[in-house]
Amino acid sequence: MKIKLLAGLTLPTVIFASSVAFSATISLVGTELKLDGITQATPTSPTATFAATVSAIVSETAVEYPNVNDFGITNTSVPGFPLPMTTVPVAIDAGADFITIDFDNTAPFSQFTPAFQNTYVFTFADTVAPLITSAEIDTTVTTLGLAPEDITFSGNKLFANVESLYFDTSSFVRINLTAEAGVAPVPLPTGLPLMLSGLLGMRLFVGRKQKAF
């Protein structure tokens, strides 16, 4: 009887699931974040960027860029005149999975320069960039008039185009970074391959024995 039961076993009855769904997480903390900028008057005009990319290590407690004006760009505009993003004294902070732009110290200025591009560019470290699948405006706290199409994530860069937008000291931006869920392999239980081999061998043996009779 035992032999007959064993002979009736099929491998699918003892195979275990070998994968499981998981939610990927992102953490920029401890990685390098580079800040640059692009200005372009029209789609066909030349682009201008910062004289040099500015880097910072993302911290859980410190603000990475307390004042974008610290890049050394002199602001000669009259108060209230439209400005390129490089001269607006915003504070830019990064967390594990977000970037914020704070306008607390921007008075008396009130508008970014109208252009085809007046864009903040954030470059993520190679260790974390592949985990990021999208970047979206957090509409629950963002008060600057950004539209979804103003935010673009491509490769290892995040682009935030603020051209012509009005702001005041209460304006705020938060961009959330997300990772897509995936499937991770799960190791088979210890000894399972040996057990399967044994069952298969015994089944083959029983099959031969039955044929012999």
Side-chain angles (χ1 to χ4, degrees), residues 188-211:
L188 293 175
T190 303
L192 179 59
L194 184 61
M195 182 182 74
L196 293 177
S197 299
L199 288 174
L200 181 58
M202 292 179 71
R203 177 168 180 170
L204 290 173
F205 173 77
V206 170
R208 291 195 189 99
K209 187 174 180 181
Q210 288 176 340
K211 287 181 180 179

Side-chain angles (χ1 to χ4, degrees), residues 160-185:
N161 191 357
V162 295
E163 65 88 16
S164 78
L165 295 179
Y166 287 91
F167 57 85
D168 57 33
T169 55
S170 67
S171 297
F172 186 76
V173 173
R174 177 175 167 127
I175 301 169
N176 292 329
L177 308 173
T178 57
E180 195 172 87
V183 176

Side-chain angles (χ1 to χ4, degrees), residues 54-96:
V54 183
S55 300
I57 301 300
V58 177
S59 167
E60 288 185 295
T61 56
V63 176
E64 285 71 29
Y65 303 100
N67 187 339
V68 173
N69 230 347
D70 289 342
F71 294 134
I73 301 170
T74 304
N75 182 359
T76 57
S77 303
V78 296
F81 193 79
L83 302 169
M85 51 51 204
T86 54
T87 59
V88 178
V90 298
I92 297 178
D93 186 27

Side-chain angles (χ1 to χ4, degrees), residues 112-158:
F112 288 106
T113 300
F116 175 67
Q117 284 198 84
N118 196 7
T119 302
Y120 294 105
V121 182
F122 303 93
T123 303
F124 302 102
D126 292 340
T127 54
V128 70
L131 300 176
I132 303 171
T133 54
S134 65
E136 297 180 353
I137 302 165
D138 188 335
T139 57
T140 64
V141 294
T142 297
T143 56
L144 190 71
L146 285 167
E149 58 268 22
D150 294 327
I151 303 299
T152 306
F153 178 75
S154 178
N156 63 344
K157 297 181 184 294
L158 169 65

